[in-house]
Amino acid sequence: MPKDGIGASVKRKEDYRFITGQGAYTDDIDRPGQAWAVFVRSPHAHARIASVDTGAAAAMPGVVKILTGADYAADGLGGLPCGWQVTGKDGPMVEPPHPPLAADRVRHVGDQVAVVIANSAAEARDAAEAVAVEYEPLAAAASIDAALSPGAPQVHDEAPGNLCYDWELGDKADVDGAFAGAHHVTRIELVNNRLVPNAMEPRAAVAEYDRATREYTLYTTSQNPHVIRLLMGAFVLQLPEHRLRVVAPDVGGGFGSKIFHYAEEAILTWAAGKVARPIKWTAERAESFVTDAHGRDHVTVAELALDADGRFLGLKVDTKANMGAYLSTFAPCVPTYLYATLLAGQYTTPKIWCGVQAVFTHTVPVDAYRGAGRPEATFVVERIVETAAHEMGIDPAELRRRNFVPSDAFPYQTPVALVYDSGDYEGTLAAALADADYDGFAARRAEAESRGKLRGIGLSAYIEACGIAPSAVVGSLGARAGLYECGEVRVHPTGSVTFFTGTHSHGQGHETTFAQIIAERLGVDIDAVEVVHGDTSKIPFGMGTYGSRSLAVGGSALARALDKVETKAKRIAAHLMEASEADIEFADGQFTVAGTDRSVGFGDVALTAYVPHNYPIEELEPGLDETAYYDPANFTFPAGCHVCEVEIDPDTGAVEIVNFAASDDFGNVINPMIVEGQVHGGIVQGVGQALLEGCVYGDDGQLATGSYMDYTMPRADDVPSFTVSTRTTPCPHNPLGAKGCGEAGAIAAPAAVMNAVHDALGSRGVSRIDMPATPARVWQALNA
Amino acid sequence: MHDFTYHAAGSVADAAAKAAAGEDAVLMAGGMTLLPTLKQRLAQPSDVVDLGGVAELRGIRVEGGAVTVGAMTVHDAVENSSEVAAAIPALAALAGHIGDPQVRNRGTIGGSIANNDPAADYPAALVGLGATVCTDRREIAADDFFTGMFETALEEGEIVTSVRFPAPQAAAYMKFPNPASRYAIVGVFVARTAGGVRVAVTGAAGCVYRETAMEAALEGNFSAAALDGMTASADDLNEDIHASAEYRAHLVGVMARRAVAACG
Ligand SMILES: Cc1cc2nc3c(=O)[nH]c(=O)nc-3n(C[C@H](O)[C@H](O)[C@H](O)COP(=O)(O)OP(=O)(O)OC[C@H]3O[C@@H](n4cnc5c(N)ncnc54)[C@H](O)[C@@H]3O)c2cc1C
């Protein structure tokens, strides 16, 4: 194995550029003659736009153009599309129009009403302040409860009662039957709190129109530039794809929030055509808070039926999910197909029903955020399992063991549509318990008590469906696109390699991980490999990065392309050594005629492929450049167990995480260091949701947590050092055996933390506390 | 940010003259509060007078049992001053818990107290220690300096030059930070001084104030136990998404007891 091959903790190739300030983010891109855009946004959660007067603003210094919703409507262009149709009990979801510039009504604080383009950012801002929008404020429905209450203000005329869909999975009567025979039923109510994504790099875009070639170029902070090109080109602006290039250069974090096609991208591209000048827009942080799609926001009631031994008989989950004011690109699938299908967790629960009502509110649209549906599912399952264990007096680890899908039961068909590929849930549980010194907890709790502290421990045995996605499966569930991935391996004449991938790295380290796979397979030095992503003019196609799909799907496309390269290179080597193709063996970068000492290096084969003097051109095409598309046969199912231990100061309500251990099964691991980093980041995000991050809207629809003065992002000193490890059961259905690791921490951690908090507070009679468990909330619960 | 005219002041007198000459001038210390306000267009001064180059406003002196901190002294300098650590360790510790390293290397004591954010830390130290604010015009007792939310006794154009803290017999500051901003949800500064026990509370109300009932209880018995069962009155305390008035009232008691215990 080459030293930088599969399994090595290679330092990230991209980091030199990032830590020396040489990264090229969208806002770093300046085009000749560039103008600046500032959006005029609604200060109201809900209002009728009586008039928009741009006269005074247009006369201000430096103003190039001001465009309004009326201008957009007059051009007869499309609204922002939704990429997934969910069909509910009463038919297809309600899909109201989503104009990129509001013309008659605004539906959330931050909704864009006009765009001002000027020679400088400062002039654009001055002029934006001078655009006179006359609003007639209307009553707002700013929460799920408010939107579903009788007589609630309507977000869309098309959606009576603010219902987008009422959907279910499973046979309710059948599940009710299982409850009838139960020995014990545990019931919980919970809120999965709304989160603001807060990527370090705010969204930005630069759009440009070339009058000579009639080509549009959009640089944008996206996790999936080809998807943006498809959606914006075909559905919104009706631009032909061969004259529309979308580039997502270095992107500073996405967490899902940069998957979606946003209004600003379309408006800038449209406007660039009108003014024939490049235009740049970069969100201010306050703008990000009210325009980036938010995450989570569920209200759920769940019931678990158990027999006398604690075996699960059935699970019923009733969830209301906030969609926000409009349907963001993938919003409808998050609380349905990415959520209800994971409610079996790691368990053999035979009967499951889940009902989901998706609700429009006068808030920022809600869509996928790290984990997307799966954190919400894990939170329900792991909170109710832990609660049931405490209610029945069974050790929570033991109750889980009694119900685990056994490791010899794979592939395992759950009652909620999915077929788990492989796993060893007992193994990850045992490893996490050992790392957490679960057996020593009672003594630690007693010691904490002697100091007046409340100590608790909590488990979260999570599962997720990653490697999104098997196209036929998601197509049958309403996805409007297949979710293939594409990779092109271009071997250059001297044997160095460029890999073009349709996935996109915005922090994940693809430039290293993919290079390791190539180094391993072709025997080339890792520094002889360059990974290119994020440019529709360079990469044939790509669905981008989310749902922990880059390695499992994009890496599999790479593996297939490498297979093709190897096959062809062997034919060239056979020609060079005048041997039969079938006799050629390839290892460590050398082609050898089996059973002989005749061999030729990979570099010589590459050179021959391009500039031969003597080549069997009739039988063998020159060149060594292969493309493969990969469609996964199934989702992958990373799983594991996280254990959290907390100490609570009852005088202040402050929760301190004193220990956190995670054992994860991600399938085969390419770069353990990068995986560890992903787990750390994910856990911190999960801790953020559990203890710190609460997005609060006032009843009037004003965002009360619109800055870091009020919205609490996790900081390094909010978490302890983590103990993380991996245990591998390879994925049986993709060539790398990889499952994916990008979301696990954010999926597992909230339940682990909140189970620990409930465990600590249980002795004081507290049975329910919602996330985020802030000191004020904990103190309130202790003193209720 | 709207346009303004920038002036670099060379001395206190120069700063005062430049500020007086401007139609609607503001002084700038480290800009930690001022610049975000300007960037968000919440203020539109005609002139900004930068105190950054005024050497006489910077530095720490200890003489005659008092610590004098120049108005332009950054929090980091107070935190890491061995003289402050020797004379009033509680003051160094307080400075070390303001914001983050960037803020502590730009933010100043003069800017902090002139701004008088209801959740800022320094006001508690000034009131808790019975400090004196020195300006280019006069001296003002801390008890008279902080007059309301974001309001002080400073007159138009008056420049804080330094703050003089008498060294106490013992003092400690306990802060319960807002999880988001890390300003104080409640901060209590307790000091045993020559003039008696002082208990100053920040974060809880619209402006720093003294818990006189706690001071009286501690006067006879300077121990945490003397405050057992005591909280602040929740009337008039702040109430927001982070903390109810009741919670703040309770925290005043907890932080006060901890501060007394930390006085040793
Ligand atoms: C991210 C962040 C976190 C923070 N956390 C905390 C915290 O935990 N606790 C805390 O107490 N504070 C905190 N602060 C505030 C910080 O401590 C600064 O002291 C405060 O913002 C004032 O900044 P400055 O000294 O740069 O003054 P500036 O912002 O320059 O000025 C502030 C105001 O004071 C006036 N002013 C400045 N100097 C003088 C003077 N000599 N005479 C008269 N008027 C003057 C200015 O005109 C202006 O109105 C935080 C600030 C930030 C940005």
Side-chain angles (χ1 to χ4, degrees):
Chain A
M1 178 186 110
K3 71 176 185 345
D4 292 335
I6 290 173
S9 283
V10 180
K11 288 218 174 99
R12 304 198 328 163
K13 285 160 65 89
E14 46 271 77
D15 282 347
Y16 180 79
R17 154 169 117 248
F18 293 142
I19 62 183
T20 57
Q22 303 301 307
Y25 297 89
T26 299
D27 189 59
D28 294 323
I29 292 167
D30 285 310
R31 303 296 299 156
Q34 174 178 290
W36 295 76
V38 167
F39 285 84
V40 177
R41 299 185 180 281
S42 170
H44 301 286
H46 189 198
R48 207 179 74 76
I49 300 172
S51 65
V52 182
D53 181 356
T54 60
M60 290 182 58
V63 173
V64 176
K65 186 121 194 139
I66 301 177
L67 294 162
T68 65
D71 296 320
Y72 190 82
D75 275 12
L77 301 171
L80 298 175
C82 182
W84 200 303
Q85 185 180 62
V86 167
T87 300
K89 290 190 260 190
D90 316 313
M93 67 187 191
V94 178
E95 211 174 337
H98 186 178
L101 287 178
D104 57 347
R105 261 212 282 176
V106 287
R107 292 184 171 86
H108 66 88
V109 171
D111 210 353
Q112 47 284 331
V113 175
V115 63
V116 177
I117 298 150
N119 289 331
S120 71
E123 287 165 328
R125 180 140 306 135
D126 284 341
E129 270 177 19
V131 172
V133 185
E134 196 190 326
Y135 295 101
E136 289 167 8
L138 301 166
S143 67
I144 291 173
D145 278 354
L148 289 179
S149 64
Q154 291 291 289
V155 183
H156 297 279
D157 299 339
E158 297 84 351
N162 294 317
L163 206 58
C164 174
Y165 56 74
D166 185 355
W167 176 90
E168 67 178 353
L169 183 66
D171 179 344
K172 183 132 191 265
D174 189 32
V175 182
D176 281 338
F179 274 72
H183 170 79
H184 180 82
V185 173
T186 292
R187 182 177 190 281
I188 59 170
E189 293 180 20
L190 58 86
V191 171
N192 202 292
N193 45 322
R194 178 186 270 249
L195 303 174
V196 183
N198 284 303
M200 196 182 288
E201 179 205 24
R203 285 192 300 114
V206 180
E208 173 169 13
Y209 176 65
D210 184 326
R211 277 194 281 190
T213 61
R214 291 184 291 154
E215 189 182 80
Y216 288 86
T217 303
L218 171 69
Y219 301 89
T220 182
T221 48
S222 175
Q223 302 178 211
N224 32 235
H226 287 87
V227 175
I228 302 306
R229 185 182 63 167
L230 180 63
L231 293 176
M232 184 176 81
F235 298 102
V236 185
L237 300 180
Q238 288 133 42
L239 301 174
E241 284 183 308
H242 67 291
R243 282 204 233 101
L244 174 57
R245 175 181 171 211
V246 178
V247 185
D250 284 331
V251 173
F255 312 108
S257 72
K258 292 173 182 168
I259 297 173
F260 322 120
H261 180 33
Y262 285 97
E264 293 87 355
E265 296 169 323
I267 293 303
L268 248 70
T269 307
W270 171 64
K274 288 200 178 294
V275 304
R277 275 176 74 175
I279 307 172
K280 178 187 280 191
W281 165 78
T282 301
E284 300 201 342
R285 186 56 70 178
E287 213 174 356
S288 302
F289 269 94
V290 294
T291 64
D292 291 3
H294 292 176
R296 319 280 193 256
D297 206 341
H298 287 192
V299 177
T300 293
V301 180
E303 289 178 282
L304 178 68
L306 303 96
D307 73 11
D309 296 329
R311 261 171 255 286
F312 304 160
L313 303 174
L315 176 68
K316 280 192 284 196
V317 178
D318 194 344
T319 292
K320 295 177 176 44
N322 196 340
M323 294 283 104
Y326 303 97
L327 289 181
S328 175
T329 312
F330 290 112
C333 76
V334 176
T336 49
Y337 297 110
L338 294 178
Y339 169 69
T341 53
L342 273 305
L343 288 171
Q346 298 186 355
Y347 311 109
T348 54
T349 316
K351 301 199 188 279
I352 297 174
W353 174 84
C354 180
V356 180
Q357 291 184 312
V359 183
F360 290 111
T361 60
H362 291 107
T363 64
V364 176
V366 178
D367 206 329
Y369 174 67
R370 200 170 191 173
R374 293 150 293 166
E376 295 91 317
T378 293
F379 193 66
V380 172
V381 173
E382 291 304 290
R383 279 289 301 126
I384 204 164
V385 167
E386 192 103 349
T387 307
H390 286 290
E391 286 178 0
M392 291 185 71
I394 302 173
D395 177 84
E398 171 57 20
L399 183 68
R400 286 179 171 85
R401 274 189 218 102
R402 285 185 201 170
N403 289 282
F404 276 154
V405 174
S407 40
D408 59 6
F410 296 97
Y412 178 79
Q413 172 69 59
T414 73
V416 275
L418 299 177
V419 179
Y420 294 169
D421 55 358
S422 66
D424 174 13
Y425 308 146
E426 297 247 12
T428 44
L429 176 77
L433 293 180
D435 285 344
D437 185 21
Y438 191 67
D439 295 338
F441 173 71
R444 294 194 295 279
R445 169 176 269 177
E447 187 277 331
E449 248 163 39
S450 74
R451 289 182 283 112
K453 296 288 171 58
L454 307 173
R455 203 158 169 126
I457 195 163
L459 276 59
S460 175
Y462 72 98
I463 189 160
E464 46 172 331
C466 291
I468 291 176
S471 299
V473 176
V474 295
S476 71
L477 302 179
R480 287 170 169 155
L483 288 156
Y484 286 78
E485 201 42 82
C486 167
E488 177 187 348
V489 174
R490 185 176 300 165
V491 180
H492 301 292
T494 54
S496 65
V497 180
T498 304
F499 174 53
F500 299 87
T501 175
T503 67
H504 185 276
S505 184
H506 30 279
Q508 293 86 347
H510 294 175
E511 291 171 40
T512 307
T513 310
F514 289 145
Q516 285 180 253
I517 296 171
I518 293 166
E520 168 99 15
R521 285 286 304 273
L522 300 183
V524 297
D525 193 278
I526 194 163
D527 290 326
V529 181
E530 207 55 47
V531 176
V532 174
H533 61 86
D535 186 341
T536 61
S537 74
K538 294 182 179 165
I539 294 123
F541 196 69
M543 295 306 291
T545 286
Y546 39 82
S548 301
R549 68 189 302 277
S550 293
L551 186 64
V553 190
S556 294
L558 167 60
R560 289 283 164 81
L562 287 168
D563 290 344
K564 292 189 187 178
V565 166
E566 186 177 324
T567 302
K568 180 156 181 192
K570 278 182 173 167
R571 295 179 66 192
I572 298 171
H575 160 70
L576 280 176
M577 295 188 281
E578 296 177 338
S580 150
E581 192 188 324
D583 292 339
I584 304 295
E585 289 170 350
F586 181 54
D588 301 328
Q590 287 290 321
F591 297 89
T592 312
V593 181
T596 74
D597 59 1
R598 275 191 296 154
S599 79
V600 54
F602 182 73
D604 294 326
V605 170
L607 195 64
T608 306
Y610 288 98
V611 286
H613 291 114
N614 155 22
Y615 197 85
I617 191 125
E618 298 300 324
E619 295 126 58
L620 192 54
E621 229 181 303
L624 198 50
D625 183 345
E626 298 287 350
T627 301
Y629 283 78
Y630 182 80
D631 185 19
N634 188 3
F635 293 96
T636 63
F637 294 91
C641 183
H642 290 203
V643 182
C644 176
E645 196 165 325
V646 299
E647 208 168 276
I648 295 176
D649 177 351
D651 288 338
T652 62
V655 178
E656 186 194 354
I657 297 181
V658 290
N659 193 14
F660 200 106
S663 172
D664 296 294
D665 176 2
F666 298 136
N668 289 335
V669 169
I670 308 298
N671 184 320
M673 179 197 72
I674 287 179
V675 166
E676 199 171 312
Q678 289 286 320
V679 175
H680 281 216
I683 293 172
V684 174
Q685 243 163 327
V687 168
Q689 169 159 34
L691 298 182
L692 303 164
E693 298 183 48
C695 176
V696 178
Y697 273 99
D699 292 340
D700 56 359
Q702 293 293 330
L703 182 61
T705 49
S707 83
Y708 296 132
M709 293 301 281
D710 292 301
Y711 188 86
T712 314
M713 290 299 286
R715 294 167 166 92
D717 64 355
D718 289 314
V719 291
S721 247
F722 306 127
T723 309
V724 305
S725 64
T726 53
R727 283 178 67 88
T728 298
T729 61
C731 170
H733 59 77
N734 69 41
L736 294 169
K739 293 182 178 175
C741 67
E743 297 155 298
I747 290 171
V753 175
M754 292 308 289
N755 282 337
V757 168
H758 280 91
D759 185 43
L761 298 177
S763 62
R764 297 289 189 93
V766 175
S767 61
R768 174 179 177 181
I769 181 159
D770 282 323
M771 300 188 290
T774 59
R777 272 199 181 155
V778 171
W779 182 80
Q780 194 64 47
L782 282 168
N783 293 280
Chain B
M1 207 180 270
H2 294 286
D3 282 350
F4 55 78
T5 307
Y6 171 87
H7 309 269
S11 65
V12 173
D14 183 33
K18 285 182 165 136
E23 189 186 317
D24 181 18
V26 290
L27 299 168
M28 181 169 77
M32 288 291 93
T33 292
L34 183 67
L35 289 181
T37 315
L38 297 184
K39 281 186 176 172
Q40 289 171 43
R41 301 183 160 219
L42 298 172
Q44 195 170 356
S46 59
D47 299 79
V48 170
V49 181
D50 185 354
L51 300 174
V54 184
E56 60 192 288
L57 290 177
R58 219 172 270 273
I60 296 164
R61 263 181 304 129
V62 179
E63 21 174 65
V67 175
T68 303
V69 180
M72 284 298 292
T73 309
V74 297
H75 312 327
D76 179 77
V78 175
E79 175 191 2
N80 291 306
S81 156
S82 51
E83 290 167 298
V84 176
I88 318 179
L91 185 62
L94 174 145
H97 285 97
I98 296 174
D100 48 48
Q102 289 89 330
V103 168
R104 292 198 288 276
N105 279 283
R106 290 292 303 170
T108 67
I109 191 168
S112 175
I113 65 169
N115 189 48
N116 193 20
D117 188 304
D121 297 304
Y122 265 132
L126 267 72
V127 173
L129 291 165
T132 302
V133 178
C134 309
T135 76
D136 61 340
R137 297 177 195 174
R138 56 187 168 142
E139 296 197 348
I140 310 167
D143 283 339
D144 303 325
F145 182 81
F146 301 103
T147 53
M149 190 184 279
F150 295 107
E151 277 173 19
T152 68
L154 290 173
E155 294 161 358
E156 186 75 32
E158 186 171 8
I159 299 175
V160 175
T161 53
S162 66
V163 181
R164 193 169 66 239
F165 296 94
Q169 291 146 17
Y173 177 62
M174 285 291 155
K175 167 180 181 176
F176 193 78
N178 176 315
S181 72
R182 302 248 171 127
Y183 275 81
I185 280 193
V186 166
V188 180
F189 200 104
V190 173
R192 274 168 84 174
T193 72
V197 175
R198 297 174 73 97
V199 177
V201 179
T202 189
C207 182
V208 60
Y209 72 98
R210 288 171 66 180
E211 268 298 337
T212 47
M214 291 187 182
E215 290 178 351
L218 291 168
E219 208 59 72
N221 171 16
F222 193 81
S223 73
L227 301 180
D228 272 351
M230 289 183 84
T231 62
S233 158
D235 300 345
D236 302 328
L237 292 196
N238 299 336
E239 174 123 2
D240 53 37
I241 58 169
H242 301 288
S244 64
E246 288 69 31
Y247 180 50
R248 281 193 164 89
H250 164 81
L251 284 177
V252 171
V254 175
M255 293 298 122
R257 279 189 289 283
R258 290 184 182 178
V260 172
C263 283

